[in-house]
Every structure is written in C-alpha cells, then in structure tokens.
Amino acid sequence: MSATLKYQEKELKLVGTRPLRPDGVDKVTGRARFGADYNLPGQLIGKVLRSPHALARIKSIDTSAALALPGVKAVVTRDDFAEMPDEMAAVGELMINFRDVTRNMMAREKVLYDGHPLAAVAATGESVARAALALIKVEYEVLPHAIDVVEAMKPGAPLLHEHQYTQGVKPKPDRPSNVAKRLEFGHGDIAAGFRQAEVIVEREFNTKPVHQGYIEPQACLASYSADGQAELWTSTQGHFVFRAQCAKVLQMDVSKIRVTPTEIGGGFGGKNNIYNEALAIALSRKSGHPVKMVMTREEVFSSTGPTSGANVKVKLGCTRDGKITAAEAELNFQAGAFPGSSVNQASMCAFTRYDLANVRIVGHDVTVNRPKVAAYRAPGAPIAVFGVESVIDEMAKKLGIDPIEFRLRNAAKEGTQTYYGPKLGPIGYIQTLEAARAHPHYRAPLGPNQGRGVATGFWFNIGNETTCSLNLQEDGTLTLMLGTIDVAGGSRASMAMMVAEELGIEFDRVRPFVGDTASLGFNFLTAGSRGTFASGMASVIAARQVIEKLRQRVAKIREVPLEAVAWKDGHARPVDATVAQFAPMSLPEIARMAGKTGGTIAGHAEINAQGAGPGFGTHIVDVEVDKETGAVKILRYTVVQDVGKAIHPAYVEGQLQGGAVQGIGWALNEEYVYGEDGVLQNPGFLDYRIPVASDLPFIDTVIVEVPNPNHPYGVRGCGEVPIIAPMAAIANAIENAIGLRLCEQPLSPPRVLKAIDEAAAARR
C-alpha cells in the first residue's frame, strides 16, 4: 500500500537522544562480517580479465589455454550471457537499461573503457586464477577514443554506439551520436527575464569524475546448487535490487536467488549496481562450486562507477536591488560507456533553492570511454551547484549585497513552484540561511590570504517500497527485521528508537537487524536519503500494529472492553477511572501469556512510502591560500541543515560532517586522471587522494528541525544534502581570499597556482 503517516507534535522520551548503536561493538571488535569475510567449504576464487584499451573492437577471445590449466574449474565470456533487450529499471536515483547492464558486466562487440570485463575465471586459488587470466588470448582492433565530454559531443568524435541516436530531439537525428539524451526543464519566459535584468553574470565550469571512495572493495560469494537455486552474499546497498538484476541477466527466476547482505564498508551510491555478482553465480553454476570474488582497489577505481565529470554553463540575470529575473543553465554530463548519468537529478537541483519566475535548464547525457557512472551521494547536484552557487556569489558581489542576504531575497519557501513539477511544502531553507548568518563563524575575523565562502544545497529525497516485521519475543523484547541496508551505520538504531518510542520501552529492548531476500517482501535499495524516512514509517506502522494486538490481548485477559485499554509507557493500563478498572500489565507479562491468548504477537508493514520531505542546507567555510604553492587549507567549516527531526542527533551530525568532508575532497584534490591512451593513471588511494584527518578542521554542525508533515516523527532525509555545497563554498572562499574566480574542479595546488601566476602576469 502507499503510505504516509502525518506528523503529530508530542512529548518524546527517546527520539532525539543519543544511545549507543546496536552494531557498534561488533564493528570495533572485528566481529562484524563484511563482504570478503564470508567463506564456504570447497569455494573457488574468481578473477576478471579486463580491457587494457579505452575503445577497441573484439576480434576474438581464446580461453582454451586457461581452461587447460590445472586448478581452473570454469571460464565465462560474453558467450555465456544472453543478449538483453532494452528494458529500463530504477537503481537508486539513476536508471539502468538491462541491455547495458549485461554489456557492462561482460564486453560483447567492443570494449568501451580501460577496465571493461572480457572474461572471468574460477580456480582453486588466487594465483591459479591470475595465471589463467594471463593465458586468455584476446585479439583487438584498437579504435580512437573519446574521454572528454565536450570533445565527445562534437559531430566528428569517435562513436561508442552505432545504434545510439539522441533521445529528446525532434525530429529524430539522422545519424548516431555520443549524446544519448537531451532534456529540458523550466517555466516562465527566459528571454523576457533577461530583458528585465540590470546585471547579468555568465560563466562556464568544468568538473572531473570522482569516486565515492568507500573503504571496502566490492566483494561477493555465490553458491549455485544442483536444483537450480543460488545463494549470494554481497556488500550492497540493496540486496533485493541486486537479486532482480542478477535474475534478469542470468535468466533465472527471482525466487531462485537468495541474497544475504553483509555489513557494508561504505557505499555512497557506488554499491547500487551489480559488477561481479552475476559473474560469481555464473561461474558457480558452471563449476559446481561456490565462487568468491573480491575486487582489488585498482579494479574498484577502473571498473566500477565514479560520478560524472561535466561541463556546466550558467547565466543569471538580476535587478540592482537583488531580485533574480532569469536563470539559465546547460549541463553536459559524462555518462561513461553507457547512457544514464545523473544529469536529470542535477537539472532538478540546480536552481531549486530559489523562487524563480523564469528559469530554463538544458541537459545532455553523453557517453564517453570511461566506466559507466554510478550514483554518488546526491548524484549530479554538487556538480550543477558548483556552477550555480559560484555565479550566485559573483552576482551578490557585483551588487554589493551580503551573500546570505542575497540568497534570502530570492529563497524558496513553502508554496514555491519548482520548475520540475511540484510545489514545495513546509521547508527550512530560510531557517538555515538565518541560522548561518547568526552563527559566530560568519562574523569571525580573517587574516591575510584568508577568505570566507557560503553556498547552499537542496535534495528532494525519496521513499519507495519498504517492508519490515516486528516480533514480540517470550521475554518481552522485540526483534525488528528491516529490509533496507544500514549503509551509514545508524539507521538500525534510529528505527529501533522509533519503535521503542511508540511502545514506551527502553531502547535496548528492541533488537534491529537486516533480513535477507527470503525473509521479507521487496525493499528498494538504500539511496536518496530514504532509509530513516521510509523504514522509519514502516517501523512505526508495525509498532502500532503490535500495540493494537497487545491491547486486544489484555482486554481478553482482564475481561474488559477493548476501548477500556490504553497503552502507555510499556504497559497496558485503564483508559481512565470512568471506564472499567484492571491491574496494568507490562510487555513481558503479556509476552509470557501470548501462547495462551492467541499465539505470537507481531506487527508488519508493506508500504510504498510517500511524502519524502526535501532537504536544504547552508555551508560556511574559511580557507587560507598559500600564494607560493597554490595549496588551499580549510581553516573552519560549518554545516547548517534542516533535517526535519534528528532521531539520533549524533548520527545526523556524522552524516552532515561526512558529506562535507567528501565535498571538501571533491573540491580540492580528487579527480580521475587519464593518459593520452585513455588508460586511468591513478587507480589507488596513493595517487587518488581523499582527505585524511590532518587535512581537516572539526566540522561544526547546526541542526535545524522543520518537521516533515508526512512522517510520524517529522523525518526528512539528511544524507545527501551535505555533499552538495562544499565545492561551491570553497570556490567562493578562494575567490574571497585572492580575488580570483576558479571555474575548474578540483581546486588543486597546480590549478590555483596557475591562476595566481596568470593573474600576476596579466597585471604586469
């Protein structure tokens, strides 16, 4: 059923506190089992042969020598997987085409990027498997490639797909193109809006692909039995979605695949898609043994999805008193080897923080010879906002208006009509701006070569299919089985807190865990900041069902009408003195009598959660620029965000801090570097540098709570918004420090120093 539960203000005893997380001890002691920690007797090791070329036609693949090697039990290539028709499906915030999933999992006519799989082997050990890969002979016809999005859009660019014609263009183009899709959003009269403008700012920006940077590589273990059943243990953000993808590409019934999610060492959108999972099942089916596959760090970087790099053009028109009259953007996003970038989401997030009468966005989804992109925390939004918030900052400076005041004059609010469809409900964007302006950070003094930047972010959040079950145990405790993966480490605690709050019991009397695909109905994956919102709603429904059954049992035991029984503070009590009186009963007392009064007491929920409240945030950052080296140091950082309601404030603070840190890395250092040959040059954490503790100050957080009216506890997702603003905020701070507007990400020392030197040369 579709479901929303309306928010009701009430006194809370547990929600909003900070109990210890239920999975914490296992993780700090090493008892928790991640993807690579699972093993089965007789298992084989699976490894993948990957392309060394960015684009090449496959003339032949000869696996005979590998198969003849002692210890090799199975080899699979393109010939072991059926051709898939065009069929679209949602994977988190992004869409996939199963035709492309199969071809990304195993190359067919052509390899399309450095790292594209060509074959997979299963052998008795890793050294044997590696030796077998070396024996596979592949004959290539190497072709010219296209890496850069702007170059790939040109008419004469090397073509990835001869069958690909640009969608969204009428009439249909007469020749194929790397531009897979054109889309447009907007409302009003953009030309009239620019005619009304007294000041116009126009800029072009470029960003590079960056990886999610999760610490745990993809890992899975598959076992295919003689009766055609398969079991899969894997590190995933959505085990039901992985089951569906594997069933589709392997042409198996969904019911014949059982997926057990392991603990996950980070995902951030990068573990929404299958990579080795279907290969492991295919190798197990062929060999008759369980097959374990663990990616190397190099494989993670070269062969799983980063987020897009992009070319972004922004134009903004404004009156001299600070009213935006027109906003326009063009977003050209790299999709990687197959269509499906986050340009759609980026388009919807680009200007939505502002109440605009005239707005237009054109987006292009462009295939290039890079790995197929995956989601990364608010997919696409940080890229678009880097451009938009940089131009917003520049406009505020031209008009001589404080940057927060300028945003307040144009801020979206309840009732604002978005340019992509819905009107906004109750939101806390203005509250975040006001809290940021009032924060001591915003008025703190700055030193030489230091600057302060501000930027804001928006994410719409999602709900989708969610199930859970809540079972009362004999001792009066409850087990809460969830179907959404606890990616961030904290959602299990949050769900248990809401159940305990409903029942009026202690937090540690609710035992949450994530069930496998055979234990619950379908759950959408953990993405789009949906976990606490959707699973929280389902958990509350299940808890309220349990309470109703507890009242029924007590009415039966005490021989009183149901309406005489109230539930409060973990006990069934008389409603009031005017109705039948009886001795209260505790949860353990009722549990002990359950077998004599009708059997086990349980609640459950199967919902399609609706009414996800959008999130807004405002960031303040101080930087110091070393003019001799171009190095940028983050001095101070503050995140202000409307989270609806912080169920567990410590975990919410962690989400805000973690998103900001990832955004800082994206802003200052992270990028995929390719050589002239189209081969990735930095596939490891030594050369792909993510921030470490010594790079960062403490990230201060301010939690704003404007309840989402469509959730019983007012929850609106908080995980995506904090990564959106950092790139723009840091670029604005650098401009404030040295007077130079940098439009190329990352804002790394060589790029900053080059801008400083060029400005000095121009002055001379």
Side-chain angles (χ1 to χ4, degrees):
M1 68 174 183
S2 295
T4 57
L5 296 179
K6 297 302 181 183
Y7 173 75
Q8 289 183 322
E9 189 78 37
K10 60 182 177 179
E11 182 182 351
L12 301 173
K13 296 181 179 179
L14 186 58
V15 167
T17 65
R18 301 171 183 245
L20 295 177
R21 58 195 291 171
D23 58 316
V25 172
D26 282 356
K27 285 182 175 173
V28 299
T29 60
R31 185 167 178 261
R33 291 203 292 168
F34 294 84
D37 294 325
Y38 283 76
N39 297 284
L40 287 174
Q43 73 185 20
L44 304 174
I45 299 300
K47 300 299 290 184
V48 176
L49 178 68
R50 301 183 184 277
S51 167
H53 304 296
L55 182 61
R57 198 173 307 280
I58 303 168
K59 301 181 76 173
S60 66
I61 302 176
D62 183 355
T63 63
S64 57
L67 278 167
L69 184 69
V72 173
K73 302 299 182 182
V75 178
V76 294
T77 66
R78 59 191 178 184
D79 297 331
D80 293 279
F81 301 96
E83 179 75 67
M84 290 284 112
D86 285 330
E87 183 178 343
M88 304 301 295
V91 176
E93 302 92 337
L94 305 187
M95 297 294 293
I96 60 168
N97 185 328
F98 279 111
R99 181 180 187 276
D100 297 337
V101 171
T102 304
R103 289 164 177 267
N104 192 47
M105 183 181 72
M106 193 65 72
R108 299 186 86 83
E109 302 87 1
K110 293 188 286 188
V111 291
L112 298 170
Y113 57 93
D114 162 42
H116 199 167
L118 286 149
V121 304
T124 51
E126 184 157 337
S127 60
V128 179
R130 289 185 180 279
L133 295 182
L135 293 174
I136 298 174
K137 298 177 181 177
V138 183
E139 186 180 357
Y140 301 98
E141 178 191 348
V142 179
L143 303 170
H145 60 270
I147 289 285
D148 177 74
V149 66
V150 175
E151 293 299 316
M153 292 176 71
K154 293 179 179 178
L159 195 63
L160 275 74
H161 305 287
E162 289 80 3
H163 67 278
Q164 180 172 283
Y165 292 78
T166 305
Q167 297 180 15
V169 176
K170 293 183 179 180
K172 179 182 177 180
D174 58 4
R175 64 179 62 186
S177 168
N178 290 325
V179 180
K181 187 177 184 179
R182 180 191 185 276
L183 53 86
E184 184 172 337
F185 292 95
H187 62 216
D189 186 333
I190 195 72
F194 279 116
R195 285 195 298 270
Q196 295 166 18
E198 296 172 285
V199 181
I200 293 176
V201 175
E202 192 169 4
R203 289 274 185 181
E204 183 171 353
F205 302 84
N206 289 287
T207 74
K208 300 294 192 298
V210 298
H211 201 270
Q212 299 85 354
Y214 39 81
I215 302 304
E216 179 204 21
Q218 273 82 355
C220 64
L221 172 64
S223 179
Y224 188 94
S225 63
D227 64 354
Q229 307 277 337
E231 288 192 84
L232 176 68
W233 294 261
T234 184
S235 175
T236 174
Q237 291 180 231
H239 47 316
F240 291 88
V241 171
F242 270 36
R243 179 184 65 174
Q245 290 184 54
C246 287
K248 180 69 71 173
V249 300
L250 293 168
Q251 296 188 307
M252 293 177 63
D253 293 339
V254 166
S255 61
K256 291 187 176 181
I257 302 177
R258 180 178 182 177
V259 183
T260 301
T262 69
E263 290 289 354
I264 182 170
F268 314 110
K271 292 179 181 174
N272 293 353
N273 309 290
I274 61 168
Y275 293 104
N276 285 346
E277 286 78 10
L279 299 180
I281 294 173
L283 287 167
S284 179
R285 180 167 60 185
K286 211 167 188 180
S287 68
H289 293 269
V291 174
K292 181 175 181 177
M293 301 184 77
V294 180
M295 283 193 179
T296 65
R297 184 64 60 187
E298 182 175 347
E299 287 179 305
V300 170
F301 273 105
S302 69
S303 306
T304 70
T307 191
S308 301
N311 168 260
V312 175
K313 300 170 184 175
V314 179
K315 182 179 179 182
L316 196 70
C318 203
T319 61
R320 294 201 179 278
D321 62 355
K323 181 64 177 176
I324 297 173
T325 61
E328 189 171 34
E330 180 183 336
L331 309 179
N332 303 312
F333 271 49
Q334 298 169 1
F338 300 95
S341 73
S342 54
V343 67
N344 189 66
Q345 292 75 13
S347 299
M348 291 190 284
C349 292
F351 292 114
T352 309
R353 299 165 307 288
Y354 303 106
D355 191 345
L356 303 174
N358 306 297
V359 58
R360 178 176 179 266
I361 295 179
V362 173
H364 295 107
D365 185 41
V366 185
T367 49
V368 295
N369 294 115
R370 299 173 180 264
K372 169 72 174 72
V373 300
Y376 181 16
R377 208 170 186 164
I383 299 167
V385 167
F386 171 47
V388 170
E389 288 291 296
S390 295
V391 169
I392 288 283
D393 189 74
E394 186 170 350
M395 179 66 79
K397 282 185 167 57
K398 279 183 176 292
L399 298 173
I401 301 173
D402 173 85
I404 290 183
E405 173 60 29
F406 180 66
R407 289 169 170 85
L408 281 166
R409 292 184 189 183
N410 295 282
K413 53 191 176 296
E414 183 175 1
T416 292
Q417 174 64 59
T418 67
Y419 56 84
Y420 65 87
K423 285 187 177 181
L424 295 174
I427 58 171
Y429 180 44
I430 288 174
Q431 289 89 329
T432 69
L433 288 164
E434 291 173 337
R437 184 166 60 178
H439 197 281
H441 181 177
Y442 196 59
R443 300 299 175 195
L446 292 167
N449 301 324
Q450 294 179 0
R452 178 166 298 136
V454 173
T456 63
F458 155 84
W459 187 251
F460 26 76
N461 299 326
I462 60 173
N464 287 29
E465 301 103 313
T466 309
T467 67
C468 74
S469 67
L470 181 65
N471 290 275
L472 179 64
Q473 302 300 320
E474 300 94 315
D475 61 356
T477 61
L478 294 112
T479 56
L480 175 61
M481 184 189 298
L482 302 162
T484 47
I485 303 296
D486 188 351
V487 175
S491 67
R492 278 170 288 195
S494 296
M495 260 51 91
M497 290 172 72
M498 283 183 269
V499 167
E501 186 77 60
E502 290 288 319
L503 286 155
I505 59 177
E506 295 84 1
F507 169 70
D508 60 6
R509 289 175 64 189
V510 181
R511 312 290 166 78
F513 69 100
V514 181
D516 63 43
T517 56
S519 302
L520 286 167
F522 180 84
N523 280 261
F524 196 58
L525 46 72
T526 301
S529 293
R530 78 174 212 91
T532 304
F533 167 75
S535 274
M537 187 180 292
S539 298
V540 169
I541 290 172
R544 291 179 181 179
Q545 285 184 8
V546 168
I547 290 170
E548 186 62 21
K549 291 177 182 179
L550 291 167
R551 291 178 59 239
Q552 292 170 1
R553 298 297 176 91
V554 172
K556 184 176 183 179
I557 294 167
R558 297 300 195 219
E559 298 181 334
V560 297
L562 178 62
E563 57 269 20
V565 183
W567 188 266
K568 186 176 180 181
D569 297 332
H571 290 75
R573 305 177 187 275
V575 169
D576 57 47
T578 64
V579 189
Q581 296 299 295
F582 58 89
M585 292 189 72
S586 69
L587 198 55
E589 288 175 315
I590 302 168
R592 284 194 295 269
M593 298 183 68
K596 299 177 182 179
T597 60
T600 300
I601 296 172
H604 58 92
E606 298 81 27
I607 65 172
N608 190 338
Q610 303 295 308
F616 291 82
T618 299
H619 291 210
I620 313 168
V621 60
D622 293 352
V623 304
E624 183 174 79
V625 181
D626 185 332
K627 291 188 174 181
E628 298 298 319
T629 65
V632 177
K633 182 179 182 181
I634 306 295
L635 302 174
R636 187 173 181 179
Y637 206 105
T638 301
V639 180
V640 186
Q641 188 169 318
D642 171 25
V643 304
K645 176 62 183 177
I647 302 298
H648 194 303
Y651 298 148
V652 170
E653 290 164 358
Q655 285 287 306
L656 307 192
Q657 292 163 334
V661 169
Q662 287 183 307
I664 290 168
W666 195 341
L668 294 182
N669 293 303
E670 297 180 39
E671 65 174 312
Y672 271 39
V673 178
Y674 281 87
E676 291 294 324
D677 57 359
V679 174
L680 184 62
Q681 301 295 301
N682 60 334
F685 284 136
L686 180 63
D687 298 309
Y688 181 96
R689 191 174 183 282
I690 63 173
V692 296
S694 58
D695 296 320
L696 302 162
F698 180 79
I699 309 293
D700 194 14
T701 59
V702 178
I703 294 174
V704 173
E705 294 181 314
V706 176
N708 174 11
N710 298 314
H711 190 278
Y713 287 93
V715 169
R716 59 180 84 236
C718 69
E720 318 283 305
V721 175
I723 200 174
I724 297 172
M727 266 203 291
I730 291 169
N732 293 340
I734 292 171
E735 194 281 335
N736 186 244
I738 62 174
L740 299 174
R741 174 66 59 187
L742 275 68
C743 300
E744 302 280 332
Q745 168 273 337
L747 309 168
S748 55
R751 190 164 281 126
V752 175
L753 185 59
K754 180 182 178 184
I756 292 170
D757 289 345
E758 288 177 349
R763 286 194 297 270
R764 291 195 295 269

